[in-house]
Amino acid sequence: MNETLSRLADAGVVAVLRGVEADQLIGITEALREGGVTAVEITADTPDVAGKLGEVTGSFGDEVVVGTGTVLDSETARTTLMAGAEFVVSPSLHEDVIETCNRYGAVTAPGVMTPTEAIRGYEAGADFVKVFPAKTVGPAHLAAMKGPLGQIPMMPTGGVGPGNAAEYIDAGAFAVGAGGSLVDYDAAARGDYDEITETAREFTRVVEGARADD
C-alpha cells in the first residue's frame, strides 16, 4: 500500500477543513492531532489554500498527513500538490485530476455514488474513492458496493459523525471523512480548542472500537 494511503488508513478519520480562518488553522490542526486525528484535508475553495497547506505541512511535518479537497480540475490539483498537499480528494469524478495526481505520485480519490463510478475512478488510477454524500445513502449502500468491489478502498464523507462512524467502518470503510461534525468553528473562534480535541478523541475511539470488533 502507498505510504500516504497507509497513513490515511492508520488515521481512520480525515478532518475536512472548509473556509478555515488563517488565525485558527494551526490551533484547529493541533487540537485534532491531540485528539488522535492525524489526517487533515483543506478544501480548495478555502481562501489562500496553497498558503495554508504550506503552513500546516511546515508546522507539523510527518505528524499530520495533509491534503486538499473539493478539487474539480487538474490545474487546482497541480497547484495544491506544489503547495505541499499529499493527497487530493474530489466531490465528483474527474479523470484529469486523477491523471495529474498519478503524474506526480500523489494519492487521489474521486467522489462517487455508484459502483460504475467507483470502478471507473479506480481503473483511471484512483487510490481510493470517496462515497459522497454518504448521508443520502447510508452505511448499507457502502456495504453493498464493497460486496463486488472489495478491492477498492472507500471513505464515506458527508453526514458522518461519532454516532454513525462505527456503522461505516463495519460496512467496510477504510476511513471516514468528517467536517462540521468534527470541527466546531464557533469553538475555535472562542479559543476553545479543547472542545475540538474532545470531539476528535470521541471520533477516534469510535473508529478504533469498530475496527477492534471486526
Side-chain angles (χ1 to χ4, degrees), residues 7-8 11 13-16 32 36-41 64-66 87:
R7 291 174 67 195
L8 291 174
V13 182
V14 178
V16 181
L32 290 167
V37 175
T38 56
V40 173
E41 170 192 321
V64 176
V65 56
V66 184
F87 64 96

Side-chain angles (χ1 to χ4, degrees), residues 28-73:
I28 288 174
T29 305
E30 174 63 19
L32 290 167
R33 189 190 67 80
E34 286 289 329
V37 175
T38 56
V40 173
E41 170 192 321
I42 304 174
T43 63
D45 54 354
T46 297
D48 188 28
V49 62
K52 288 172 180 173
L53 285 165
E55 187 174 355
V56 173
T57 55
S59 297
F60 293 93
D62 292 338
E63 294 181 77
V64 176
V65 56
V66 184
T68 185
T70 318
V71 176
L72 305 178
D73 54 72

Side-chain angles (χ1 to χ4, degrees), residues 1-2 13 18 27 29 64 66 69 86 89 92 99-100 108-109 145 157 159 162 169 171 174 184 192 198:
M1 182 182 289
N2 175 286
V13 182
R18 185 180 302 279
T29 305
V64 176
V66 184
E86 298 171 80
V89 181
S92 40
E99 181 180 6
T100 296
T108 185
M145 288 212 297
T157 305
I169 296 297
F174 88 101
D184 186 335
D192 187 5
E198 283 307 309

Side-chain angles (χ1 to χ4, degrees), residues 73-113:
D73 54 72
S74 60
E75 292 81 3
T76 302
R78 184 182 186 281
T79 296
T80 56
L81 289 172
M82 294 303 100
E86 298 171 80
F87 64 96
V88 169
V89 181
S90 302
S92 40
L93 176 56
H94 303 277
E95 293 185 15
D96 61 332
V97 171
I98 297 172
E99 181 180 6
T100 296
C101 291
N102 286 171
R103 182 178 299 130
Y104 290 99
V107 165
T108 185
V112 306
M113 182 64 78

